[in-house]
Amino acid sequence: MQSMYQSLGVSPAVYQYGEEILAGLKDRFAAIDAVAEHNQLKVIAAMQKNRVNAGCFAATTGYGYDDAGRDTLEKVYADVFHTEAALVRPQITCGTHALAVALSANLLPGDELLSPVGRPYDTLEEVIGIRESKCSLREYGVSYRQADLTADGGFDWEGIRAAINEKTKLVTIQRSKGYATRPTFSVKQIGELIAFVKSVKPGLKVMVDNCYGEFVDTAEPSDAGADMTVGSLIKNPGGGLAPVGGYICGTEECVARCAYRLSAPGLGQEVGANLGLMPALYQGLFLAPTVVAGALKGAIFAANVYERLGFKVVPNGSEPRHDIIQAVELGSPEAMIAFCHGIQAAAPVDSYVLPEPWPMPGYDANVIMAAGAFVQGSSIELSADGPIREPYAVYFQGGLTWQHAKLGILLSLEKLVQAGLAKV
Ligand SMILES: *Cc1c(COP(=O)(O)O)cnc(C)c1O
């Protein structure tokens, strides 16, 4: 094995260091496998209940009326997430689009949106109008308020209570920390928050941005009272096979409104050809629980590899996980670049390119990104990125297989060692 790794660029010293770390992770890996087993059965049960069959994989074109593959897939998602309804299709272009549809379909002029978990993910700032943008919710007369988290990353219960007013209509909760330094919330914590806001104002609707959280736990936010649970198919639930798409699982009422907003009033879920993508969307969902397990193992391995070398890692090497993202604070631009070169060098695609920091739209610093993915931008595939600024943290996520994630992490460390930035 050591010589196989050596042929791919991992030195015996780095390989041995990795094996030492791994020896201490057996129990955690077993717990991840148990969650994956539960979720695998959940997905299979939903497919069986809805009588998935070869006819579901046929391509449709044009309007896509009576598209059995699409309609059945939506029922399968609704059953996996234990919701009344679901909207899952390639016409939802990405996670931001799914979230924008869910928000704009369920907020009307004069309504207010509340985030009780501080600032939302970067791309939502323009959707909401926190940063000015054409067609933002703000432009349509929807106001926004947020209650920041407490200094230790907890919910500010009194601040949240005070932020809820007669205009508050919808509450948005982001499960994953995304690229922020706050903690990711467990489904249990999200459930407590949902119960709280609904006790302050009955009838409030709650949307959870579930990006990067799917199948990390045996329960989803939809099991904890969310009216809409939303995410991207080129992250966890697409299992690496979905080439595009997003999902919204929720109540009949909320999802119907989303469908009218996505297509057109009166048309709703009745139109939307599947364009031949059904095999990938079904098979990707089928594989998603084990793919997520591999990504989680990679994240935990990375945390422990870098923590023992003295780097700050978020989450730390031993705490529970609620999403697949791992932040590693490397402390210098050189170390970030070396880390990303290692991830890139481990890729099955584009392994020969050297990623460089560049001024990406929407960021106030240069950003470096490493990814060699089969699906462009897919972050359930092994990838790492981060803005070149204090605290020089890279965000690492994905890996369609644990074995690939392991190679990526070992190569990232190898590049740091070669540059004299770490010592094993
Ligand atoms: C990725 C992500 C989004 C946006 O998804 P895209 O598919 O990149 O548009 C929104 N929220 C969170 C927390 C995310 O991680």
Side-chain angles (χ1 to χ4, degrees), residues 189-359:
Q189 285 174 299
I190 290 171
E192 286 161 7
L193 182 53
I194 294 172
F196 178 77
V197 297
K198 291 195 173 194
S199 77
V200 175
K201 186 171 180 182
L204 265 185
K205 295 208 161 53
V206 178
M207 178 190 86
V208 176
D209 174 351
N210 203 27
C211 282
Y212 288 130
E214 299 91 351
F215 301 127
V216 169
D217 199 340
T218 54
E220 298 291 342
S222 44
D223 295 308
D227 298 278
M228 289 183 284
T229 300
V230 183
S232 163
L233 298 194
I234 64 166
K235 292 179 180 171
N236 305 14
L241 293 187
V244 70
Y247 76 89
I248 301 169
C249 293
T251 63
E252 205 84 71
E253 190 200 341
C254 286
V255 171
R257 292 194 66 92
C258 293
Y260 289 132
R261 177 48 69 230
L262 179 68
S263 58
L267 300 182
Q269 279 176 279
E270 305 293 323
V271 298
N274 74 48
L275 307 173
L277 296 175
M278 286 297 120
L281 268 55
Y282 278 100
Q283 202 175 357
L285 177 65
F286 174 76
L287 292 178
T290 48
V291 169
V292 169
L296 271 174
K297 288 175 185 175
I300 290 171
F301 181 57
N304 284 278
V305 159
Y306 281 98
E307 188 170 59
R308 230 225 268 173
L309 293 172
F311 295 96
K312 183 177 175 204
V313 294
V314 184
N316 71 29
S318 54
E319 68 190 295
R321 303 265 150 171
H322 310 297
D323 67 12
I324 62 166
I325 301 181
Q326 179 63 48
V328 182
E329 288 186 14
L330 291 161
S332 73
E334 297 72 32
M336 283 181 78
I337 293 167
F339 183 101
C340 288
H341 285 177
I343 297 297
Q344 190 74 37
V349 180
D350 293 334
S351 62
Y352 52 88
V353 303
L354 277 186
E356 278 182 35
W358 61 294

Side-chain angles (χ1 to χ4, degrees), residues 6-344:
Q6 207 167 353
S7 72
L8 284 156
V10 179
S11 65
V14 166
Y15 174 75
Q16 285 307 332
Y17 173 72
E19 292 308 291
E20 272 169 44
I21 295 288
L22 263 182
L25 296 177
K26 290 208 170 68
D27 291 349
R28 294 204 70 194
F29 279 25
I32 289 169
D33 287 335
V35 171
E37 190 173 343
H38 179 108
N39 287 329
Q40 184 71 78
L41 298 179
K42 182 160 76 171
V43 168
I44 292 172
M47 290 191 176
Q48 291 182 349
K49 180 184 161 201
N50 291 289
R51 305 176 71 94
V52 172
N53 61 76
C56 295
F57 307 142
T60 60
T61 55
Y63 294 103
Y65 290 137
D66 300 318
D67 184 331
R70 176 198 67 206
D71 294 348
T72 303
L73 181 69
E74 291 183 333
K75 291 195 182 112
V76 168
Y77 262 78
D79 283 332
V80 166
F81 284 82
H82 304 128
T83 55
E84 292 170 3
L87 186 65
V88 189
R89 42 186 74 200
Q91 284 78 19
I92 303 178
T93 56
C94 61
T96 304
H97 187 203
L99 292 158
V101 166
L103 292 173
S104 54
N106 288 282
L107 287 159
L108 293 173
D111 289 340
E112 188 160 280
L113 170 68
L114 169 67
S115 169
V117 295
R119 250 178 136 73
Y121 192 76
D122 279 61
T123 56
L124 282 199
E125 292 189 346
E126 279 155 297
V127 171
I128 295 168
I130 300 171
R131 264 188 291 143
E132 205 174 311
S133 172
K134 291 189 179 70
C135 297
S136 69
L137 288 171
R138 183 157 173 220
E139 215 185 56
Y140 284 91
V142 174
S143 56
Y144 170 75
R145 200 176 284 266
Q146 79 186 31
D148 287 326
L149 296 170
T150 57
D152 61 355
F155 304 135
D156 174 8
W157 301 107
E158 282 322 302
I160 295 167
R161 185 196 300 281
I164 297 174
N165 59 60
E166 67 287 349
K167 286 170 67 183
T168 314
K169 169 79 167 296
L170 204 148
V171 173
T172 178
I173 300 172
Q174 184 179 309
R175 177 174 177 179
S176 169
K177 65 181 168 305
Y179 300 137
T181 46
R182 63 130 164 120
T184 289
F185 303 120
S186 67
V187 171
K188 183 164 173 282
Q189 285 174 299
I190 290 171
E192 286 161 7
L193 182 53
I194 294 172
F196 178 77
V197 297
K198 291 195 173 194
S199 77
V200 175
K201 186 171 180 182
L204 265 185
K205 295 208 161 53
V206 178
M207 178 190 86
V208 176
D209 174 351
N210 203 27
C211 282
Y212 288 130
E214 299 91 351
F215 301 127
V216 169
D217 199 340
T218 54
E220 298 291 342
S222 44
D223 295 308
D227 298 278
M228 289 183 284
T229 300
V230 183
S232 163
L233 298 194
I234 64 166
K235 292 179 180 171
N236 305 14
L241 293 187
V244 70
Y247 76 89
I248 301 169
C249 293
T251 63
E252 205 84 71
E253 190 200 341
C254 286
V255 171
R257 292 194 66 92
C258 293
Y260 289 132
R261 177 48 69 230
L262 179 68
S263 58
L267 300 182
Q269 279 176 279
E270 305 293 323
V271 298
N274 74 48
L275 307 173
L277 296 175
M278 286 297 120
L281 268 55
Y282 278 100
Q283 202 175 357
L285 177 65
F286 174 76
L287 292 178
T290 48
V291 169
V292 169
L296 271 174
K297 288 175 185 175
I300 290 171
F301 181 57
N304 284 278
V305 159
Y306 281 98
E307 188 170 59
R308 230 225 268 173
L309 293 172
F311 295 96
K312 183 177 175 204
V313 294
V314 184
N316 71 29
S318 54
E319 68 190 295
R321 303 265 150 171
H322 310 297
D323 67 12
I324 62 166
I325 301 181
Q326 179 63 48
V328 182
E329 288 186 14
L330 291 161
S332 73
E334 297 72 32
M336 283 181 78
I337 293 167
F339 183 101
C340 288
H341 285 177
I343 297 297
Q344 190 74 37

Side-chain angles (χ1 to χ4, degrees), residues 406-418:
K406 177 179 174 183
L407 174 66
I409 295 150
L410 292 176
L411 271 177
S412 72
L413 178 56
E414 185 69 45
K415 300 286 178 191
L416 281 162
V417 169
Q418 284 172 10

